């Protein structure tokens, strides 16, 4: 996995740990022999929660990724496992910074999905797809503006199409 400098370390660490299936999803907790009341996903309450289901395999995650693809003006993709998400940015054309920004947006999306899951588990807070996408847009804007060479990024332009700064 490539770490992105414009994304905070907490996001890089989460994605790195997820790549090796080292985040505490319910199936991972059961494998470590930690008793939990239910294996079902806290967001959909239909299937068992595992890494693939949480980030790829259920309707909520699919809706988030669909909006992210539309926002970034990239073709919708099909991911079969978590590592496919990390390869998404390699399949888009353009220069080095275009790929770095897209990789960072994918990482931020993973982090926001994980935060949404934790808000549901620990605070019983329910979120909608639009709220998650708005959070991805705002966090990624804040971090790219303050942690990269792109200091002149404007919110209006970023919220319409984030890859405009690489054209």
């Amino acid at each position: 996995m490539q770490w992105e400098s414009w994304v905070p370390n907490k996001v890089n660490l989460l994605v790195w740990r997820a790549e090796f299936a080292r985040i505490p999803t319910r199936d991972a907790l059961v494998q470590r022999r930690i008793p939990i009341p239910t294996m079902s996903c806290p967001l959909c309450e239909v299937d068992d929660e595992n890494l693939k289901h949480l980030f790829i395999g259920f309707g909520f995650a699919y809706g988030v990724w669909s909006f992210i693809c539309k926002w970034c003006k990239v073709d919708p993709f099909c991911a079969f496992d978590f590592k496919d998400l990390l390869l998404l940015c390699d399949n888009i054309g353009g220069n080095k910074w275009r790929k770095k920004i897209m990789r960072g947006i994918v990482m931020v999306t993973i982090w926001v999905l994980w935060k949404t899951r934790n808000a549901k588990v620990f605070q019983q807070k329910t979120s909608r797809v639009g709220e998650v996408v708005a959070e991805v847009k705002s966090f990624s804007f804040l971090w790219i503006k303050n942690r990269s060479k792109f200091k002149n990024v404007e919110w209006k332009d970023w919220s319409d199409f984030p890859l405009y700064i690489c054209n």
Side-chain angles (χ1 to χ4, degrees):
M1 187 199 95
Q2 282 186 290
W3 288 43
E4 287 303 328
S5 58
W6 69 271
V7 174
N9 285 339
K10 62 184 175 183
V11 177
N12 281 302
L13 279 169
L14 172 72
V15 175
W16 177 69
R17 290 186 68 206
E19 184 179 21
F20 294 104
R22 296 288 185 213
I23 60 172
T25 57
R26 292 180 180 205
D27 76 322
L29 294 173
V30 167
Q31 287 176 356
R32 294 178 190 146
R33 293 189 168 91
I34 297 172
I36 57 172
T38 180
M39 285 282 294
S40 66
C41 172
L43 296 171
C44 72
E45 297 176 352
V46 174
D47 289 327
D48 289 350
E49 180 191 59
N50 58 40
L51 190 69
K52 181 179 175 182
H53 174 77
L54 185 61
F55 294 112
I56 301 164
F58 78 110
F60 188 85
Y62 179 78
V64 170
W65 289 115
S66 295
F67 273 101
I68 296 298
C69 287
K70 196 179 298 185
W71 172 49
C72 294
K73 295 183 172 96
V74 297
D75 292 332
F77 64 94
C78 186
F80 296 105
D81 64 13
F82 186 81
K83 291 181 182 186
D84 289 345
L85 289 177
L86 302 177
L87 296 175
L88 171 66
C89 56
D90 296 335
N91 297 330
I92 65 167
N95 62 20
K96 173 183 96 169
W97 270 100
R98 185 179 174 96
K99 291 181 181 194
K100 286 176 73 68
I101 291 169
M102 192 65 208
R103 185 178 302 110
I105 289 171
V106 168
M107 294 169 78
V108 172
T109 304
I110 291 166
W111 185 69
V112 172
L113 282 169
W114 182 248
K115 275 185 45 168
T116 302
R117 177 255 186 215
N118 287 340
K120 177 70 174 179
V121 169
F122 299 112
Q123 301 165 348
Q124 290 72 44
K125 182 180 178 227
T126 304
S127 296
R128 289 185 277 227
V129 169
E131 294 169 342
V132 171
V133 172
E135 213 172 329
V136 169
K137 287 181 178 184
S138 61
F139 277 127
S140 58
F141 171 75
L142 176 71
W143 292 333
I144 197 126
K145 185 170 180 75
N146 294 298
R147 298 175 56 94
S148 75
K149 70 177 189 173
F150 298 108
K151 304 293 183 205
N152 298 328
V153 178
E154 295 294 327
W155 170 250
K156 180 188 174 304
D157 299 326
W158 180 263
S159 63
D160 288 340
F161 176 53
L163 302 178
Y164 83 95
I165 58 179
C166 301
N167 293 333

